[in-house]
Amino acid sequence: MPQLQPYRDGLRTLALVLPLLAALGLCDDDHYLSQVLFCQPSKPSVGLLKMFDGDQMFSYNFENYSVSPWIKDFDKWRDQAFPNPSNITFLANLCHQFRHNLTQALVDITPEARGSTRLNVFSAHPLRIGKQNTLICAIDDVYPPALTITWRKNSESLSTTLLNSDKYVVMNDLSFQAFSYLNVTPYHGDIFSCEVQVSGDSATSIAFWVPQFPVPSDLMENVLCGFAFVLGIIFLLAGFVFFYLAKKLHNTD
């Protein structure tokens, strides 16, 4: 649930949350197509996403006025994603103006509503000790969409990234979701952490991941297969021995 803070921080919150209310949508009985524009004082100062049924399809880069598809299969619709660049510039300027005017009008009136960022770290593939894998840090309930993400191994910093606007996904409740990835080779005793700091917020959210309950390694699999094969041969020979002794006993009788 969002937490209310004094309005002295309201400028930042209004800059990030209220523009989402201007999302435009086209819907039918089965699907929902929407465009979400947001603006804020911090970087990224403005962003535009096209969503389909809650999944991102395209993002607009305001620095070079280009369109990026979320996956390669969407590239064939790139030119149709945002067909009128002049409208995009107009809406971006309108967003900043609306944010500024609304902030001035609501000074000392409206408190800030801030959500609690939730993190979850997991591996992309089944864990194998000593084998390369990818850790995924899933970041939910992000207000606003400006994050600094730091990966650490045993408290040592591995990477620090400032996410761009094209890396976010807008949820149905108008919060944002983001993902960060780290290629690792885990060993027993390793402790990995994903640290996320929201722009303008002094608090840091941390999620840890340690190698636990790995699937058997290739060496262990080979040993187990070899043991099972040898055990099978022993039971087969034992069967022949018992069959021979039983036949010999029968002939004696």
Side-chain angles (χ1 to χ4, degrees):
M1 294 295 293
Q3 298 174 348
L4 296 182
Q5 301 289 339
Y7 185 75
R8 59 177 179 270
D9 297 327
L11 175 64
R12 183 176 69 251
T13 302
L14 289 174
L16 300 165
V17 178
L18 288 181
L20 297 179
L21 300 179
L24 303 177
L26 298 175
C27 59
D28 57 22
D29 294 338
D30 300 317
H31 304 287
Y32 186 81
L33 178 67
S34 63
Q35 289 184 184
V36 178
L37 174 72
F38 67 86
C39 59
Q40 59 188 9
S42 59
K43 294 183 178 181
S45 62
V46 63
L48 177 62
L49 307 174
K50 174 153 283 187
M51 311 292 297
F52 183 74
D53 285 353
D55 295 321
Q56 180 175 320
M57 296 183 66
F58 302 95
S59 62
Y60 188 80
N61 190 326
F62 283 86
E63 294 183 357
N64 56 17
Y65 309 105
S66 63
V67 178
S68 300
W70 185 255
I71 60 177
K72 293 182 178 180
D73 292 344
F74 295 158
D75 191 64
K76 57 185 176 182
W77 297 304
R78 181 195 298 261
D79 297 336
Q80 305 174 32
F82 307 105
N84 196 333
S86 60
N87 284 348
I88 295 176
T89 303
F90 171 77
L91 291 174
N93 293 334
L94 181 64
C95 179
H96 283 294
Q97 183 179 356
F98 175 76
R99 176 193 61 80
H100 175 75
N101 293 340
L102 190 59
T103 299
Q104 295 299 319
L106 297 178
V107 169
D108 296 327
I109 297 176
T110 303
E112 174 189 9
R114 181 184 301 174
S116 300
T117 302
R118 294 179 287 109
L119 309 181
N120 184 26
V121 179
F122 52 91
S123 60
H125 309 287
L127 173 62
R128 293 177 183 270
I129 298 298
K131 297 294 183 179
Q132 189 173 17
N133 208 325
T134 300
L135 295 184
I136 303 174
C137 183
I139 309 163
D140 295 302
D141 202 14
V142 181
Y143 301 96
L147 303 176
T148 300
I149 301 175
T150 302
W151 283 98
R152 297 183 185 274
K153 175 184 176 182
N154 300 329
S155 300
E156 180 181 352
S157 178
L158 298 178
S159 66
T160 299
T161 306
L162 176 64
L163 286 192
N164 297 319
S165 60
D166 60 346
K167 302 301 182 182
Y168 294 91
V169 176
V170 182
M171 310 304 290
N172 292 333
D173 61 356
L174 297 184
S175 67
F176 285 84
Q177 184 183 56
F179 297 91
S180 180
Y181 305 88
L182 179 70
N183 293 325
V184 299
T185 302
Y187 292 92
H188 287 298
D190 288 342
I191 301 177
F192 295 90
S193 65
C194 175
E195 302 180 2
V196 176
Q197 185 170 15
V198 179
S199 176
D201 195 341
S202 59
T204 300
S205 300
I206 305 177
F208 294 93
W209 183 87
V210 295
Q212 290 182 333
F213 309 112
V215 298
S217 64
D218 293 339
L219 177 61
M220 182 62 69
E221 288 181 353
N222 293 335
V223 171
L224 292 176
C225 289
F227 178 76
F229 180 75
V230 172
L231 191 63
I233 292 178
I234 292 176
F235 279 115
L236 180 63
L237 293 176
F240 280 120
V241 170
F242 283 118
F243 177 78
Y244 173 78
L245 293 177
K247 186 176 182 181
K248 184 177 181 181
L249 182 60
H250 178 74
N251 292 335
T252 302
D253 294 341

